Amino acid sequence: MPVDVHAEVLSNTRLSADYNVLALAAPEIASEARPGQFVMIKTRLGFEPLLRRPFSIFEILRDAQGAPTGLTILNKRIGVGTGQLFDLAAGDRVDVLGPLGRPFTLAPPSTEAWLVAGGVGLAPFATMAEALLPLGVKTTLFYGARRAQDLYYADWFAARGVTVVTSTEDGSAGDRGFVTAPLARAFDALGRRRLADAPGEDGRSQPARAAGGSAAAPVALYVCGPTPMMRAVSDLAEQHGCDAEVSLEQTMGCGQGGCYSCVVRVRGEGRTPHFVRSCVNGPVFRGRDIVWEELAH
Ligand SMILES: Cc1cc2nc3c(=O)[nH]c(=O)nc-3n(C[C@H](O)[C@H](O)[C@H](O)COP(=O)(O)OP(=O)(O)OC[C@H]3O[C@@H](n4cnc5c(N)ncnc54)[C@H](O)[C@@H]3O)c2cc1C
Ligand code: FES
C-alpha cells in the first residue's frame, strides 16, 4: 500500500545548473519500494502547482545496519515543480506519496541485463542495478546524454560492478550520437557469440542464422528516456528477438488511477489496442505492447 509521508529533506546535492539529487527521509516508502516504482511529490505547499509531480525512486538510503531510512530522486529542472525541488534546502519538508506503479521484472541469473538510459532516464536504474547484481545477473548500462558533463553517476554504477557504455550527442564522451549506436553494436556482437555457440545439422556453426540476426538472445532490456529513444530501443530489441521493458514518463495528475491523465494505448496478447492508465498499469510496460505512434512526446 502506498503511504503519504511529510518527508524531511536530508540534503540537496546540485549536480549542475539543471540537475540535483534530493535525499528525503521516508523509511516507510523506502522499505516497500521496488525497482521502477515512483513517488508523487507535492513540490510546495499551496496551489502553485496544484498537483503533485511523479518521480522515479533513484536510490534507497540505508542506516549502518542496512535498514531503509529514505530515498533520493534525481531531479531535472524543466518547469515550476521541478524548479521548486531544485531550490529546496536541508530541513525543508515535502509530501511524498508512494511507492506507486508497476515495477520492472527482474531478469533471472542466467540472463544478461542491459539497462538503457537517456538523460534523466537514468533515475530508475540505480535501484535496478542494486537488485540485479546480488542475483548474479551480468549488468550493462548504456547511458546517453547530450554531453559529457550530463553523464551523472557513471562512476557509481561502475563501482558496483556494472559495465558502463556511454554516448554523447556532441561526442565529448563515448560514442558520438545516440545510445542506440553502441547498443546496435552490442546486439551484433551477441549475434556473433550465439552463432559461434550454435551447432548446425552437421555439428558446425550456422552463418545463415547470424545473417538473419533474429535468434532469441539471452538478454533482458530495460529502457527509460525520451520517447523516441525508447521506441527505437524497443524496435531494436524486437528485431533481435528480445523483450524490452520501457518506463514511460506520461504526464500524471494523481498517480493513483483516478484522473485518466496518463492513458496510453497498448496491445495485449492477441487483442486489439486499448487504453490503460500508465500510473497503475505502468509506468513499466513491455515495449512491443505500446502503440508508439500515438505517444505525444
Ligand atoms: C513515472 C514517472 C517518473 C518520472 N521520473 C522522473 C525523475 O526521476 N526525474 C525527473 O526529473 N523527472 C521525472 N519525471 C518527469 C517529471 O515528472 C516532470 O518533469 C515533471 O512533472 C514536470 O513538472 P514541472 O512542474 O517542473 O513542469 P511544468 O511546469 O508542469 O511543465 C514544464 C514543461 O514540461 C512539460 N512536461 C511536464 N511533464 C512532462 C513529462 N512527464 N514529460 C515531458 N514533458 C513534460 C510541460 O508540457 C511543459 O512544457 C517522471 C515522470 C513520470 C511519469
Ligand atoms: S495519473 Fe491519474 S489516472 Fe494515472
Side-chain angles (χ1 to χ4, degrees):
M1 273 294 286
V3 287
D4 200 359
V5 177
H6 192 49
E8 183 182 348
V9 175
L10 300 172
S11 64
N12 181 2
T13 308
R14 298 205 174 89
L15 306 175
S16 69
D18 298 317
Y19 279 80
N20 65 310
V21 174
L22 207 57
L24 301 164
E28 307 88 338
I29 299 175
S31 57
E32 295 296 320
R34 292 162 63 195
Q37 289 191 297
F38 66 98
V39 289
M40 293 293 288
I41 301 184
K42 182 89 173 87
T43 55
R44 184 165 157 182
L45 288 177
F47 301 111
E48 184 52 36
L50 179 63
L51 301 174
R52 295 181 187 229
R53 301 293 195 248
F55 294 89
S56 298
I57 295 168
F58 182 40
E59 299 159 284
I60 301 297
L61 305 173
R62 297 178 189 278
D63 65 17
Q65 284 71 47
T69 57
L71 55 91
T72 71
I73 61 156
L74 175 65
N75 177 54
K76 181 183 180 188
R77 173 160 66 160
I78 64 157
V80 181
T82 49
Q84 289 165 350
L85 294 183
F86 190 86
D87 291 339
L88 287 173
D92 289 342
R93 283 182 181 269
V94 283
D95 290 331
V96 184
L97 174 70
L100 297 165
R102 186 175 156 255
F104 288 121
T105 311
L106 293 187
S110 56
T111 311
E112 265 191 57
W114 292 359
L115 316 179
V116 189
V120 76
L122 181 73
F125 292 139
T127 54
M128 188 59 176
E130 287 194 323
L132 290 171
L133 292 166
L135 300 176
V137 178
K138 187 168 179 285
T139 304
T140 302
L141 172 67
F142 294 87
Y143 184 13
R146 273 183 307 165
R147 45 196 190 141
Q149 301 99 289
D150 298 330
L151 290 166
Y152 306 107
Y153 275 68
D155 294 346
W156 186 99
F157 283 88
R160 283 158 179 78
V162 175
T163 303
V164 180
V165 180
T166 58
S167 60
T168 49
E169 288 171 34
D170 69 357
S172 51
D175 273 67
R176 178 188 292 273
F178 296 118
V179 72
T180 39
L183 190 64
R185 275 206 311 277
F187 270 122
D188 289 344
L190 183 71
R192 286 195 296 276
R193 283 209 309 271
R194 289 178 59 81
L195 175 66
D197 291 347
E201 282 173 12
D202 58 358
R204 293 182 296 181
S205 62
Q206 301 179 60
R209 234 178 120 192
S214 60
V219 170
L221 280 93
Y222 305 93
V223 197
C224 188
T227 301
M229 174 274 231
M230 289 197 282
R231 181 180 185 174
V233 173
S234 178
D235 288 349
L236 200 55
E238 198 170 347
Q239 284 161 25
H240 289 83
C242 291
D243 270 343
E245 286 193 338
V246 298
S247 181
L248 298 187
E249 293 200 350
Q250 295 300 99
T251 302
M252 290 184 181
C254 72
Q256 297 182 91
C259 73
Y260 288 74
S261 64
C262 63
V263 291
V264 58
R265 271 228 287 186
V266 297
R267 297 183 190 88
E269 294 296 345
R271 290 152 63 199
T272 50
H274 59 288
F275 285 106
V276 295
R277 293 161 293 175
S278 71
C279 62
V280 288
N281 297 94
V284 173
F285 293 93
R286 232 165 49 139
R288 67 176 67 187
D289 291 344
I290 303 289
V291 182
W292 289 104
E293 52 275 20
E294 291 183 2
L295 287 191
H297 50 77

